[in-house]
Structures are given as structure tokens and as C-alpha cells.
Amino acid sequence: MILELDMASEIPIYQQVYDGVVLGIASGVLTMGEALPPVRQLAVDIGINMHTVNKAYSLLRQDGFIQLHRRDGAVISPDAAPSPADIARISALVTSAAAQAKAKAMAQEDFLALCGRLYDALKGA
Amino acid sequence: MILELDMASEIPIYQQVYDGVVLGIASGVLTMGEALPPVRQLAVDIGINMHTVNKAYSLLRQDGFIQLHRRDGAVISPDAAPSPADIARISALVTSAAAQAKAKAMAQEDFLALCGRLYDALKGA
DNA sequence: CGCCTTGTTATATATTATATATAACAAGTA
DNA sequence: TACTTGTTATATATAATATATAACAAGGCG
């Protein structure tokens, strides 16, 4: 579980952690049932505060990517069909991307080609 | 040019303005050469501060969606092929969406179907 | 049982981002 | 000149982000 943080980025650290875990699940580095490092340990490992990790974990649980247990810590949730909330979250991102693409005169087939390529790029990340 | 703002949203107002303009261009409501309202007027119209509008306009110019002139104000940029910076910006959004989709066990064809549907939905918005 | 690890919550503080307010400046044009 | 436009400067208030320290709660293990 490698997380690359950019402390100079305008993207909040907790969101970078969130994105890193989602990317890990999507790419198969993190598999169902696997445990994430405890909040305190991950915080020390990547040099940030415990609460920042905790915020990322809480959001990941809220969005159904992980489950949090008192003893077992954070474990990857089993695969499940996307919920309406998941679809809404994903759709918001795609709509922003599609609007920018179309506003830049990008044809639908080119946009879809880009989407397909980026989806495939998650394979071995 | 109708802008819907959600003052209770966690999304900054300047970004909502930014997104609204991009959506307007993508949907054809705003066409090349068309002028946007002056920063002061739009600010009054939607009930926010002038600098918040100015920040949105500055970002829109920075990303190549509009051009700003002393006298003519803000006008929609002519259609042009997406720059590498545009592709990078769009790709970041799509990658986040694709990662969430794949982490939720969404097949590529389903993800692409969603992308195509959302792109088409921009038509008459 | 005590002990330890885990997530969780509480409180406080510092820094940055966001938004507003007022004012002045700079450029273009009628 | 006068007006409108974007632009910059300064100040202030609120919210978000990140850190720090501490304590609490649940579950398992010797």
C-alpha cells in the first residue's frame, strides 16, 4: 500500500488518501477483506496527523469502500453493485469532465475513447 | 445565462460559477464570441460578491474557456482542439470517476455507457 | 480479570481557503 | 472627458483543513 502525497497540492491531504485507497481497490492492489494500516500507523508512515487519516477512512466508509471495526481496523468491503449514491457521485465527476470536453469541441467518440483508455490504465497500477 | 447556486453546498461558489459557464458552453447556451455579464452585474444578479465572480472568470480564462478584454468584458473563446493542459484536467476527473466505478465492480462497458449517456445529456441543457 | 490495540470523540490551536467589503487603478471607447 | 470594463490592493470575517493532546469505547488475548 503505497500512497503518494503532494503536500504542495491544492487537493486536501485527506482526499489524496481517499483517492489513493480507491485507486488501490480499483487496480487490485487492495483486495476484498484486506486490512488497511491502523490510522495511527498510516499517519506516522506518511508523516501526517492521525485525524487526517481518520477523516479519509470515515469518508471511505461513508462511501462504502471499507468497513471499520473496533478490533480488526479498516478492511476493504466486498464487491457489490454500485448504489444510487455511488452512481450519483461518479456521475457528478463524469458530467464535469464531459462538459469540459464538449466545451473544448471534443467529439463524443473521442471522449469515450479517453474514458476507456483511462479505465484500462487502472489495470496494473 | 442562468446560474443555479447552492449556498449550502460544500462546493465553493466560484467553482459553481465556473462549472455553470462550462456547462453553458457545452450545451450550446453560450456560443463563441458571446459576452458574459460584467463581473459587477453578474455578482448583483446572483447575489454574491464581485471578487467571487472575478475569481471564476479568471479561472475560466486560465483554462481557455473565455477571453477577458478591458472594454468588451468576458467573451466565450472560439472552439479549439483541447490543449495538453485541457486533457490533463479532464483526465484527472475521468480517472477519479473510473477508479470509483471499477472499485465498485462496474464493468468497463457499463462505465462507458454511463459516460456516453452523460455526454449526450449535455445536448439541450 | 488486566492489558493492549483498535476506532472514536472531545477540545484546542494554527494555517489556509473562501467570501465579502471598500477603494482605487488601468485600459479602451464613445 | 466620461463611462464601463477588468484588475489590483487592502482589510475583515467565516469556514475548511491540519495538527496536537487527551480521553473514551469496544473487542480480543494472555
Side-chain angles (χ1 to χ4, degrees):
Chain A
M1 187 57 205
I2 300 173
L3 270 181
E4 293 183 7
L5 294 186
D6 180 3
M7 305 303 283
S9 170
E10 76 284 356
I11 302 175
I13 303 176
Y14 72 87
Q15 194 177 328
Q16 295 187 44
V17 174
Y18 177 102
D19 292 340
V21 172
V22 174
L23 216 58
I25 300 175
S27 65
V29 173
L30 299 173
T31 56
M32 177 228 157
E34 186 172 346
L36 292 178
V39 285
R40 291 172 180 81
Q41 180 187 327
L42 181 56
V44 172
D45 287 352
I46 60 183
I48 65 177
N49 189 270
M50 180 194 66
H51 292 95
T52 306
V53 176
N54 187 259
K55 182 167 184 177
Y57 278 18
S58 294
L59 288 173
L60 285 165
R61 175 185 59 177
Q62 179 181 307
D63 291 344
F65 291 107
I66 66 176
Q67 295 177 343
L68 297 176
H69 304 286
R70 288 282 178 180
R71 180 63 180 175
D72 304 327
V75 299
I76 308 298
S77 292
D79 280 1
S83 70
D86 294 330
I87 300 294
R89 201 157 13 83
I90 294 168
S91 295
L93 289 168
V94 173
T95 297
S96 289
Q100 294 205 23
K102 197 172 180 192
K104 289 288 181 174
M106 199 180 200
Q108 198 216 40
E109 68 173 41
D110 293 327
F111 176 65
L112 291 182
L114 178 63
C115 292
R117 202 164 355 111
L118 291 171
Y119 183 98
D120 286 336
L122 298 172
K123 286 269 170 71
Chain B
M1 187 56 206
I2 302 172
L3 271 181
E4 295 182 8
L5 293 186
D6 179 4
M7 306 302 284
S9 169
E10 77 284 354
I11 301 176
I13 303 176
Y14 73 86
Q15 193 178 327
Q16 294 186 44
V17 174
Y18 177 102
D19 292 341
V21 173
V22 173
L23 215 59
I25 300 175
S27 66
V29 174
L30 299 173
T31 57
M32 180 225 152
E34 187 170 347
L36 292 179
V39 286
R40 290 172 180 81
Q41 181 186 327
L42 180 56
V44 172
D45 287 351
I46 59 183
I48 64 175
N49 189 268
M50 181 194 67
H51 291 95
T52 306
V53 176
N54 188 259
K55 183 168 183 175
Y57 278 18
S58 295
L59 287 174
L60 285 164
R61 176 184 57 176
Q62 178 182 308
D63 291 344
F65 291 106
I66 67 176
Q67 294 175 345
L68 297 176
H69 303 284
R70 288 283 177 180
R71 182 61 180 172
D72 304 326
V75 298
I76 308 298
S77 293
D79 280 1
S83 69
D86 294 331
I87 299 294
R89 201 158 13 83
I90 296 168
S91 295
L93 289 169
V94 173
T95 297
S96 288
Q100 293 204 23
K102 197 173 180 193
K104 289 289 181 174
M106 199 180 202
Q108 199 215 40
E109 71 173 40
D110 294 327
F111 176 66
L112 290 181
L114 177 64
C115 292
R117 198 161 2 107
L118 291 171
Y119 182 98
D120 286 336
L122 298 171
K123 285 268 169 71

